[in-house]
Amino acid sequence: MRRPRVAALPAADLVILTIREQRLNVLLVKRGKKDEPYFGWLALPGGFVRPGESLEDTAKRELAEETGLDGGKLPLQQVRTYSLPNRDPRGRIVTTAFLAIAPNLPEVTGGTDASRADWIEVDELRSTPLAFDHNQILSHTLEHARRLLEYTTVATAFCPELFTVSELRQVYEAVWGVSLNPQNFHRKVRRTEGFVVDADKRRTDQPGRPAELFRRGPARILYPPMLRPNQGDGSEDPAAQT
Amino acid sequence: MRRPRVAALPAADLVILTIREQRLNVLLVKRGKKDEPYFGWLALPGGFVRPGESLEDTAKRELAEETGLDGGKLPLQQVRTYSLPNRDPRGRIVTTAFLAIAPNLPEVTGGTDASRADWIEVDELRSTPLAFDHNQILSHTLEHARRLLEYTTVATAFCPELFTVSELRQVYEAVWGVSLNPQNFHRKVRRTEGFVVDADKRRTDQPGRPAELFRRGPARILYPPMLRPNQGDGSEDPAAQT
DNA sequence: TCAATAGTGTCTGTCAGACACTATTTT
DNA sequence: AAAATAGTGTCTGACAGACACTATTGA
């Protein structure tokens, strides 16, 4: 009985998100001449698995190469694997998408090998075609990130070490694309044990009453979760596999 | 500049869950002689990707081979990809886990090619070693399924076409491993629009007042979600990548 | 003093937990 | 009638939405 198999090159693609100017940004690279096909297109950073590496290793290495960030410290989450036979014209390449959440970095762009890396506002990309199936990967991963903000505390990973409740709220507003009531958000965050820890300092570089500064707390799961408004009528499943 | 790459065989493994006797069961196969390594061990059903197939195609094909179910009709969800270089002694095999949720099937076991397929109670497997990294795959996928029951209506996929609220509750109780208050569950289910649709029939094969029968409704997302009791202190992240 | 931002108090509506109660069947 | 299961009503507490109110800074 024949059992045909097929070999593939495993790869990891990264969706690295951050907040800049209160908007959600994603790190994209412009593909160079040596990157045929899709020369000149925008693409997610990523690369092939090397001998001895797991996909997670590859993702960490690419993250370090692109941003200088230590993948061991940032939340780096596997999201989904893309395997359509014709998704890459170079051949059979099966890629796994990883979500990385980064604070606003002082100087990120210009990684070691990508021809150019730049933060792009996610909202600007709704009608911009990306290389390969990266539009789909980005869209799935964004939905994954939105879901994560509901029941985990990863939103704090978008913030610097010390942050205000306002800044944390702006993370939620940017990722979810909604406005949240500042007072209710404040109450929710401070009443959820372990979400944030008072750093006993204040931010004084703004007009208005100085805001207290916090560090991320020990909790990783939010229970009860943050309620994301505006869920539609529930007849669509964002996790559908079609 | 050297860019070493590595080729791998992509594979799909299936975690097929059902409820039997009010307990959560998973379909496992016993590995035969031709299945070295791990001869005689229990393993998740699965197989290699064939030319022209995506991982989803492979999962659907394996599901049909193992259970005779049409993968296009059952919810079949990608969960996570496992890629440690030494996870399979035969070589570099990268496998993607899929979750399938099945109603209690009349005659499931004895697929076409697996030497033997059998439903096993998940609780019995806590101290049973499975082949490869399948214990880990099973544990991740179970947590994924538990999470799905919170915010989607997939629990109805465990039920036959017509089912009672009691049966639906027993799905939640079996998957979550908790007891739920029957009255409150009943109210929650019936008040959530589109979760279930009254079939205008009754179940009469039991002592006690006959229960109304329902079909699954059009909703796919539960908003607000079902609250899973007993979440612990929230300091652990079930989605952690370590 | 005013604008601006941070943070608190409080009312209300929704919903989950608890549980008493009613309803409808078999034995 | 008793046992068994299904389903409803209702009280209570937790919490989200809304928003008035206080607090603390710079201009």
Side-chain angles (χ1 to χ4, degrees):
Chain A
M1 185 171 172
R2 280 228 42 186
R3 310 248 187 161
R5 299 171 178 183
V6 60
L9 292 179
D13 283 325
L14 267 66
V15 177
I16 308 171
L17 300 178
T18 199
I19 311 280
R20 288 161 60 93
E21 318 277 330
Q22 291 161 39
R23 287 171 191 272
L24 186 62
N25 281 246
V26 60
L27 192 71
L28 295 180
V29 299
K30 193 160 206 167
R31 291 177 63 80
K33 274 188 187 172
K34 297 167 68 177
D35 291 326
E36 295 280 5
Y38 290 103
F39 165 62
W41 289 52
L42 288 173
L44 296 169
F48 293 100
V49 169
R50 296 187 181 167
E53 278 186 342
S54 68
L55 284 161
E56 282 73 15
D57 294 332
T58 308
K60 273 183 203 168
R61 175 172 52 76
E62 294 289 335
L63 181 65
E65 288 177 6
E66 296 294 342
T67 69
L69 289 168
D70 179 0
K73 305 234 166 126
L74 276 197
L76 192 58
Q77 292 223 16
Q78 205 190 103
V79 176
R80 191 156 154 179
T81 299
Y82 298 83
S83 61
L84 285 179
N86 57 351
R87 62 173 294 281
D88 192 315
R90 290 169 292 182
R92 192 81 204 211
I93 296 173
V94 174
T95 197
T96 299
F98 285 82
L99 166 65
I101 290 177
N104 197 343
L105 303 169
E107 262 300 310
V108 200
T109 60
T112 55
D113 62 342
S115 51
R116 265 206 309 279
D118 269 310
W119 293 113
I120 313 277
E121 279 187 26
V122 164
D123 283 342
E124 285 182 4
L125 289 171
R126 300 191 69 79
S127 53
T128 307
L130 304 179
F132 308 105
D133 48 3
H134 288 189
N135 285 94
Q136 192 186 27
I137 295 179
L138 177 61
S139 132
H140 288 160
T141 307
L142 284 175
E143 183 52 37
H144 185 82
R146 294 193 184 103
R147 179 76 61 190
L148 276 182
L149 258 56
E150 292 184 43
Y151 68 91
T152 77
T153 59
V154 281
T156 54
F158 281 106
C159 299
E161 194 198 338
L162 293 179
F163 56 90
T164 68
V165 176
S166 250
E167 286 164 348
L168 185 60
R169 174 170 47 81
Q170 284 163 17
V171 169
Y172 275 89
E173 291 178 332
V175 176
W176 283 352
V178 298
S179 285
L180 299 174
N181 180 298
Q183 291 93 336
N184 292 337
F185 183 86
H186 192 276
R187 183 182 49 187
K188 169 79 178 180
V189 167
R190 301 227 43 187
R191 280 197 193 165
T192 301
E193 191 154 358
F195 196 175
V196 297
V197 175
D198 197 327
D200 212 25
K201 294 180 186 169
R202 289 168 175 282
R203 170 142 304 169
T204 55
D205 57 354
Q206 260 194 336
R209 171 173 170 176
E212 290 182 84
L213 288 169
F214 297 87
R215 292 188 171 81
R216 72 178 317 196
R220 292 293 169 267
I221 299 293
L222 284 178
Y223 186 82
M226 282 278 175
L227 265 188
R228 167 152 58 133
N230 197 17
Q231 288 281 297
D233 65 356
S235 65
E236 289 170 46
D237 184 355
Q241 296 282 315
T242 28
Chain B
M1 188 170 170
R2 280 227 44 183
R3 309 249 190 160
R5 297 171 179 184
V6 60
L9 292 179
D13 283 324
L14 267 66
V15 177
I16 309 171
L17 300 178
T18 199
I19 311 280
R20 288 161 61 92
E21 318 276 330
Q22 292 160 39
R23 287 173 191 269
L24 186 62
N25 281 244
V26 61
L27 192 71
L28 295 180
V29 299
K30 193 160 206 168
R31 293 176 63 80
K33 275 188 187 172
K34 296 168 69 178
D35 291 326
E36 296 280 6
Y38 290 102
F39 164 64
W41 290 52
L42 289 173
L44 296 170
F48 293 99
V49 170
R50 295 184 183 169
E53 279 187 342
S54 67
L55 284 161
E56 282 74 14
D57 295 332
T58 307
K60 273 183 202 168
R61 175 172 52 75
E62 295 288 336
L63 181 65
E65 289 177 5
E66 297 294 342
T67 68
L69 290 168
D70 180 358
K73 305 234 165 126
L74 277 197
L76 194 57
Q77 292 224 15
Q78 205 192 101
V79 176
R80 189 156 155 180
T81 298
Y82 298 83
S83 61
L84 284 179
N86 57 350
R87 61 172 294 281
D88 192 316
R90 290 168 293 181
R92 190 83 204 210
I93 296 173
V94 174
T95 197
T96 300
F98 285 82
L99 165 66
I101 290 176
N104 197 342
L105 304 168
E107 263 300 309
V108 202
T109 60
T112 56
D113 63 341
S115 50
R116 267 205 307 280
D118 270 309
W119 293 113
I120 313 277
E121 280 188 25
V122 165
D123 282 343
E124 286 181 4
L125 288 172
R126 300 192 70 80
S127 53
T128 307
L130 304 179
F132 308 106
D133 47 4
H134 288 189
N135 286 93
Q136 191 186 28
I137 295 179
L138 176 61
S139 131
H140 289 160
T141 307
L142 284 175
E143 182 52 36
H144 185 82
R146 294 193 184 102
R147 179 74 62 188
L148 276 182
L149 257 57
E150 292 183 42
Y151 68 92
T152 76
T153 60
V154 281
T156 55
F158 281 106
C159 300
E161 195 197 339
L162 294 179
F163 56 89
T164 68
V165 176
S166 249
E167 288 164 348
L168 185 60
R169 175 170 47 81
Q170 284 162 18
V171 169
Y172 276 89
E173 291 177 332
V175 177
W176 285 351
V178 298
S179 285
L180 299 175
N181 180 298
Q183 292 92 336
N184 292 336
F185 184 86
H186 192 276
R187 182 183 50 186
K188 168 80 179 179
V189 167
R190 302 226 43 188
R191 281 196 193 166
T192 302
E193 192 154 359
F195 196 176
V196 298
V197 175
D198 198 326
D200 213 24
K201 293 179 185 169
R202 289 166 177 282
R203 170 143 302 170
T204 56
D205 56 354
Q206 260 193 337
R209 172 174 170 177
E212 291 182 85
L213 288 169
F214 298 86
R215 291 188 172 81
R216 72 178 317 197
R220 292 293 172 267
I221 299 294
L222 284 178
Y223 187 82
M226 282 279 176
L227 264 187
R228 167 153 57 132
N230 197 16
Q231 287 281 297
D233 66 357
S235 65
E236 290 170 46
D237 183 356
Q241 294 284 317
T242 30

